[in-house]
Amino acid sequence: MCGIIGYIGGRQIIPVLLEGLRRLEYRGYDSAGMVFLENEEIKVIKVKGSVFNLEEKVYTELPYNSKAPGLGHTRWATHGEPSENNAHPHLDCEGNLALVHNGIIENYYELKESLIKRGHNFISATDTEVIVHLIEDYVRQGLNLKTAFMKSVKKIRGSFAIALISKKDPQFIMVAREKSPLIIGLGEGENFIASDIPAILPFTKKVLFLDDGEIAILYKDRVELFNFEGEKIRKNPVCISWDLALAEKGGFPHFMLKEIYDQPEAVKHTLLGRLDLDSGEINFSKEGLTQAFLKDIEKIFIVACGTSYHAGLVGKYLIERHLKIPVEVDLASEFRYRFPLIDSKTLFIAISQSGETADTLAGLRLAKQAGARILSICNVLGSTITRESDLVLYTQAGPEISVASTKAFVTQVLIFILLVLYIKKMFYGESKKDMILTLIKLPSLLKNFTEKVHFEIKKLAERWYRIENCLFLGRNILYPIAMEGALKLKEIAYIHAEGYAAGEMKHGPIALIGENFPTVVLSAKETGIVYEKTLSNAEEVKSRRSPIIAIISENSEEFKKIAESYIEVPSTHYELLPILYVIPLQLFAYEMATLRGCDVDKPRNLAKSVTVE
Ligand code: G6P
């Protein structure tokens, strides 16, 4: 939530900030702002709404002598409504200091009260503004800016990534991190800060990841690192392998559509290095997943949020079926407060595209403290969750920009498939060669299927885009996919949707459905006995006059007879069903959303990376 970009160096500051903000807009987009030096003065430009509005305003005001250092911010409001006044940056009383913030300051109220008593003048409703006045207060007491910054950082509580510039000290930017992500991009004679990698990809791929409790002072030609005690620390930069083109729309109208079409490549990259073509086996040993790591595991917890949680539910079906280890899947926000029973024989699996989701991270820390082994399935190299895990299996989906997650989900599910194949071979000596062959062909299968089904889904969306309610039903491994289909439709098309276990439908949702309340039924012959059970559920739906949109295996003649529309999915292995069945649902939500005029990549009130509780 909220995106921060900052720059110090010789480039034109405004294009760098705008470029960074455009790439961070998925983190929040209800207001935006930037600050830089203009004729040695602090110049602030802020708007309500998107970065596009900011860009218009910047070019209307035409600052002609703008200079680094500068900071940019795109906001997802927590304290104070989205407005120009509450947009960041925030200034001190004298207009010497400008600060941007991502996170929540929990003790802001008491700090604000005492700063007001000490004569500070607040003009916004944000929690952020207290930080800059606190720093100013210490400077008024005679401290130099660096010491004032360090003292303030120790006094504020909550989650924060903050960045500060000063017109009196234009030779540096100061930043601090506590429970909110912040990275430093290292260039030649220039340095960057950002909330996430895509913002700095056009400029540098050399990155330092700040950890909680760390401060950095960025000069043009160097970066100094400290802990909150003011002691100098050292860390090594990491080189990011992501290609800039992957963070661009590449001719597609939206990132979401591009990312759906990226899925075959994402699958190919996730298989690469794990699928040994010579032996025909999966191998995770290079990543540290050994018998020793998994020894004596008696129970698995999978913890995640949003779409990643649905991948976790798929994981449960796969692990319990193949490895016979009990699995509990929890929403991270519930897990962290429910006193789960964890010990050293527990394997904790965190799933997160961003690696920064606050609840998932909190769950991970709780499990770690209780002695569990921590494995994470993550997409962003060097993100906080990866750094705090004992072992990381990266999804190689490349940068995912659209708020609605697509290719990350498909690759998370793929990791679970590879994981069970690998562990099955390692512990029980069992290989599934036929499935390995299918995996090799999976990228081209996905490509062909996506193109074909997209055409069919467009027609379906034209028929249904005016609905206000929709039920999604599935059983077994397709139940999480029904939930994911419903989530997608809610997130981007703003249509009320429920994802339900088909067998549970009679215990509630059946009361809702009717002529204007269609039901999407997911059914696959590969699910065995539940195929017929789902058919019975579909009959019950039809009897209540809810039109059926059936997503079915090829030649499911029984469904074709009762469905108003149907989409056929190529036959595959049971384990791969979630990957194939989710594609029409992603495209359905996308096409419905565009026909309804929704801003697909920036759905209202949502943010891609939820870094506050
Ligand atoms: C937000 C995003 C979702 C995502 C969820 C979990 O809600 O809008 O698309 O699934 O966070 O994010 P993570 O990065 O942990 O997978």
Side-chain angles (χ1 to χ4, degrees):
M1 346 236 27
C2 298
I4 293 176
I5 175 85
Y7 175 71
I8 187 156
R11 293 179 199 246
Q12 291 274 333
I13 182 75
I14 292 174
V16 175
L17 297 182
L18 283 175
E19 178 76 40
L21 286 179
R22 273 187 230 109
R23 290 169 187 276
L24 288 172
E25 219 180 354
Y26 66 85
R27 302 180 67 85
Y29 30 81
D30 52 44
S31 51
M34 59 166 67
V35 58
F36 43 82
L37 295 183
E38 173 86 350
N39 297 324
E40 321 309 324
E41 286 299 317
I42 291 255
K43 169 83 176 168
V44 173
I45 305 178
K46 304 204 276 195
V47 293
K48 182 175 174 190
S50 67
V51 173
F52 178 76
N53 299 358
L54 181 67
E55 194 170 346
E56 276 193 336
K57 189 161 178 192
V58 168
Y59 289 116
T60 320
E61 295 197 3
L62 271 183
Y64 60 92
N65 201 12
S66 52
K67 285 214 183 85
L71 305 171
H73 188 269
T74 175
R75 181 169 185 246
W76 189 90
T78 57
H79 297 58
E81 59 168 12
S83 69
E84 189 174 320
N85 197 40
N86 289 333
H88 301 207
H90 292 284
L91 304 184
D92 64 341
C93 298
E94 307 297 330
N96 287 327
L97 307 172
L99 179 131
V100 293
H101 166 222
N102 169 22
I104 291 177
I105 304 302
E106 284 161 4
N107 57 340
Y108 93 98
Y109 192 75
E110 57 188 78
L111 289 172
K112 189 168 176 175
E113 295 266 284
S114 88
L115 286 162
I116 288 173
K117 283 192 194 132
R118 295 171 63 80
H120 289 264
N121 188 21
F122 283 78
I123 57 168
S124 79
T126 65
D127 52 341
T128 303
E129 205 184 346
V130 296
I131 313 171
V132 69
H133 287 285
L134 187 61
I135 299 168
E136 177 186 40
D137 204 69
Y138 283 126
V139 172
R140 281 184 189 169
Q141 291 170 38
L143 299 184
N144 67 37
L145 184 59
K146 288 181 189 170
T147 317
F149 183 87
M150 291 189 182
K151 252 187 121 95
S152 303
V153 155
K154 283 184 74 174
K155 197 143 185 190
I156 52 180
R157 271 202 325 269
S159 63
F160 53 87
I162 53 174
L164 177 88
I165 63 167
S166 154
K167 77 172 181 193
K168 291 186 182 159
D169 296 284
Q171 69 281 16
F172 58 76
I173 299 177
M174 294 193 79
V175 303
R177 172 196 159 132
E178 178 67 20
K179 301 195 198 108
S180 288
L182 200 63
I183 60 163
I184 296 170
L186 303 172
E188 295 290 321
E190 59 181 1
N191 289 306
F192 303 79
I193 54 153
S195 300
D196 201 358
I197 296 164
I200 56 163
L201 267 188
F203 311 110
T204 179
K205 288 189 175 175
K206 212 166 144 191
V207 169
L208 279 173
F209 293 95
L210 276 195
D211 281 306
D212 287 351
E214 291 181 355
I215 290 172
I217 306 182
L218 286 83
Y219 300 83
K220 268 201 288 205
D221 52 358
R222 65 184 196 283
V223 175
E224 293 172 355
L225 299 173
F226 303 87
N227 60 23
F228 280 7
E229 303 308 318
E231 295 155 349
K232 274 207 168 191
I233 51 170
R234 290 178 64 86
K235 48 177 55 186
N236 293 326
V238 174
C239 212
I240 301 297
S241 60
W242 281 355
D243 187 354
L244 180 60
L246 281 172
E248 311 271 351
K249 277 193 206 147
F252 284 89
H254 298 100
F255 276 112
M256 182 179 176
L257 189 61
K258 184 204 169 238
E259 287 162 4
I260 293 172
Y261 273 85
D262 273 351
Q263 289 178 151
E265 275 299 296
V267 163
K268 199 190 274 177
H269 286 120
T270 303
L271 288 171
L272 213 73
R274 275 93 179 235
L275 201 161
D276 181 347
L277 292 179
D278 292 334
S279 65
E281 300 295 349
I282 305 299
N283 201 335
F284 279 119
S285 60
K286 280 192 218 124
E287 288 153 273
L289 191 56
T290 55
Q291 288 215 13
F293 182 81
L294 294 167
K295 194 165 169 269
D296 297 333
I297 291 294
E298 288 179 354
K299 180 176 188 177
I300 299 176
F301 277 105
I302 303 178
V303 171
C305 302
T307 290
S308 296
Y309 168 71
H310 295 153
L313 291 173
V314 171
K316 174 182 168 80
Y317 283 93
L318 294 173
I319 294 172
E320 290 189 339
R321 182 180 173 116
H322 286 287
L323 306 178
K324 317 280 181 233
I325 304 172
V327 179
E328 283 191 48
V329 190
D330 269 55
L331 289 164
S333 53
E334 287 299 313
F335 178 82
R336 62 185 292 190
Y337 295 115
R338 79 165 171 90
F339 306 104
L341 303 176
I342 304 166
D343 59 24
S344 60
K345 294 188 172 172
T346 305
L347 175 66
F348 175 93
I349 305 182
I351 314 175
S352 176
Q353 186 285 129
S354 62
E356 301 292 351
T357 302
D359 283 323
T360 310
L361 184 59
L364 181 155
R365 287 175 177 161
L366 186 144
K368 200 170 185 173
Q369 232 179 11
R373 275 162 263 183
I374 312 290
L375 184 157
S376 63
I377 298 175
C378 207
N379 195 41
V380 178
L381 181 79
S383 54
T384 312
I385 287 179
T386 67
R387 281 178 287 143
E388 299 198 12
S389 301
D390 298 320
L391 202 148
V392 185
L393 300 180
Y394 280 103
T395 47
Q396 301 291 351
E400 192 181 64
I401 310 289
S402 182
V403 168
S405 183
T406 52
K407 60 179 179 173
F409 175 79
V410 161
T411 51
Q412 287 162 352
V413 170
L414 181 61
I415 291 280
F416 274 116
I417 298 170
L418 301 182
L419 198 63
V420 294
L421 288 176
Y422 173 65
I423 297 177
K424 213 168 174 177
K425 169 79 182 154
M426 188 160 69
F427 281 100
Y428 310 108
E430 285 178 38
S431 295
K432 286 202 81 170
K433 296 276 182 207
D434 51 338
M435 209 151 106
I436 302 280
L437 288 177
T438 311
L439 284 173
I440 295 170
K441 295 187 200 140
L442 186 60
S444 64
L445 174 66
L446 291 184
K447 184 170 181 295
N448 296 337
F449 180 53
T450 305
E451 282 161 11
K452 175 180 166 285
V453 83
H454 192 184
F455 178 73
E456 296 169 31
I457 288 287
K458 273 186 188 162
K459 286 196 284 186
L460 213 65
E462 273 162 28
R463 158 85 174 88
W464 291 110
Y465 77 94
R466 290 186 194 84
I467 54 170
E468 287 310 323
N469 300 289
C470 190
L471 178 64
F472 288 74
L473 297 179
R475 278 177 181 257
N476 197 278
I477 204 163
L478 292 179
Y479 165 41
I481 304 307
M483 294 168 80
E484 176 58 11
L487 176 64
K488 281 283 153 297
L489 203 61
K490 277 185 268 213
E491 278 182 311
I492 60 164
Y494 313 146
I495 294 170
H496 163 239
E498 310 250 1
Y500 242 79
E504 184 69 10
M505 183 218 18
K506 284 203 272 297
H507 300 285
I510 199 163
L512 296 172
I513 55 176
E515 274 169 29
N516 298 317
F517 199 136
T519 303
V520 178
V521 181
L522 310 179
S523 165
K525 290 189 169 163
E526 294 85 343
T527 55
I529 186 162
V530 300
Y531 172 80
E532 283 177 3
K533 308 272 175 206
T534 311
L535 182 61
S536 306
N537 298 132
E539 296 277 9
E540 290 154 5
V541 165
K542 180 153 170 86
S543 310
R544 272 81 189 171
R545 298 194 158 178
S546 170
I548 294 175
I549 303 167
I551 316 284
I552 47 177
S553 317
E554 286 164 330
N555 308 320
S556 299
E557 301 309 321
E558 308 87 337
F559 274 96
K560 289 185 194 170
K561 279 189 208 132
I562 56 170
E564 182 174 309
S565 325
Y566 64 87
I567 299 279
E568 286 181 290
V569 181
S571 313
T572 187
H573 295 266
Y574 165 87
E575 291 75 6
L576 298 183
L577 292 172
I579 293 184
L580 286 175
Y581 275 69
V582 82
I583 294 172
L585 302 188
Q586 294 167 339
L587 289 165
F588 185 57
Y590 173 79
E591 290 300 336
M592 299 279 274
T594 49
L595 287 169
R596 289 163 74 93
C598 303
D599 188 348
V600 174
D601 284 335
K602 298 197 281 291
R604 68 185 177 212
N605 305 336
L606 296 179
K608 178 133 193 89
S609 185
V610 181
T611 52
V612 294
E613 230 188 306

